[in-house]
Amino acid sequence: QTSDAFNTDDAVGNLSAGRTKDANRNVKAVFGELLIPLVGPGNAMPLVQALSIDASARYDDYSDFGHTTNPKIGFTWEVAGGLTLRGNYGTAFNAPSLADTTGAVDTRVQVIAVSPFRAPTSPITDLFRPTIVLAGGNPDLKPQKADTWSFGGEWKPSFFEGFQAGVSYWNIKLKDAIVVAPPGFPTSVFTVPAFQQFAIVNPTLAQAQAATAGMFVTGAP
């Protein structure tokens, strides 16, 4: 995977101050799946007309994030009278894209003179204090992972031709989710614990210079 980006912040046609953002990684993957029928027409029994197991595994090796193996196993069980039950469990792994890490196309500092980004307890006068917003990739992002499982069934009774009913339940637990703070709710960076580490109230000049080093600055007086 390769990302080649060019970013500039100057008059149209003037590319002399432009900067390149190149990033790449190598990804290797292997996937395998087994469908194992355990019960069928030849050995059906009461309440088990058919039963099969579906097992799979995926191995990924990232040059920048290491390797991971994620299995998934499920079953399909034909009970009786047109009732079928099914379920599965598995894990998932998703590395952040190059555009979200070191290959972000638009990396800049946006200075907002009148800013809605205020803590709920701040005085109204803070509305007229400038906010420095950092945009671009985050090289410190880690992969997001998930545990998933589902269970459900469907009913197609033979005595009611054309009728079918079904229900399914999914459960997905994300860990280290890669997200962007919701832009429509500026106060979330002060009220949501996961976002609080990314906001500095009243930074010193040294902190502001360190956080914006090497970035284009837009909107500064």
Side-chain angles (χ1 to χ4, degrees):
Q1 297 178 351
T2 301
S3 172
D4 298 315
F6 182 83
N7 184 17
T8 189
D9 187 22
D10 211 326
V12 175
N14 184 2
L15 304 180
S16 60
R19 302 167 187 172
T20 58
K21 281 280 188 178
D22 300 332
N24 62 80
R25 68 158 64 114
N26 294 319
V27 184
K28 304 171 186 176
V30 176
F31 175 81
E33 183 175 14
L34 287 174
L35 179 61
I36 308 170
L38 301 177
V39 178
N43 61 343
M45 61 191 76
L47 299 182
V48 187
Q49 300 301 301
L51 178 64
S52 61
I53 301 294
D54 187 352
S56 62
R58 179 184 175 95
Y59 173 84
D60 294 275
D61 184 23
Y62 293 82
S63 59
D64 49 358
F65 288 106
H67 58 84
T68 177
T69 301
N70 292 278
K72 183 175 182 180
I73 187 167
F75 71 90
T76 302
W77 171 20
E78 293 184 24
V79 184
L83 176 63
T84 301
L85 302 177
R86 60 185 180 275
N88 66 69
Y89 170 79
T91 62
F93 177 98
N94 181 26
S97 70
L98 295 176
D100 287 336
T101 52
T102 56
V105 174
D106 191 13
T107 301
R108 68 176 60 244
V109 178
Q110 179 68 51
V111 181
I112 306 175
V114 179
S115 174
F117 291 85
R118 295 187 299 117
T121 56
S122 71
I124 189 61
T125 52
D126 280 355
L127 183 67
F128 302 99
R129 302 182 68 179
T131 292
I132 303 172
V133 179
L134 307 184
N138 180 1
D140 296 325
L141 282 180
K142 299 294 186 287
Q144 61 182 10
K145 304 175 183 179
D147 291 322
T148 66
W149 62 273
S150 68
F151 181 79
E154 62 181 28
W155 184 42
K156 294 193 292 185
S158 57
F159 59 81
F160 197 166
E161 186 176 354
F163 175 83
Q164 178 176 341
V167 63
S168 295
Y169 176 83
W170 287 271
N171 186 290
I172 302 173
K173 183 179 181 181
L174 280 173
K175 293 177 287 187
D176 301 322
I178 300 172
V179 299
V180 175
F185 302 93
T187 58
S188 64
V189 295
F190 302 103
T191 58
V192 178
F195 296 152
Q196 290 176 357
Q197 60 178 308
F198 301 111
I200 302 175
V201 179
N202 298 328
T204 65
L205 178 60
Q207 286 177 310
Q209 290 175 331
T212 62
M215 302 172 69
F216 291 125
V217 178
T218 302

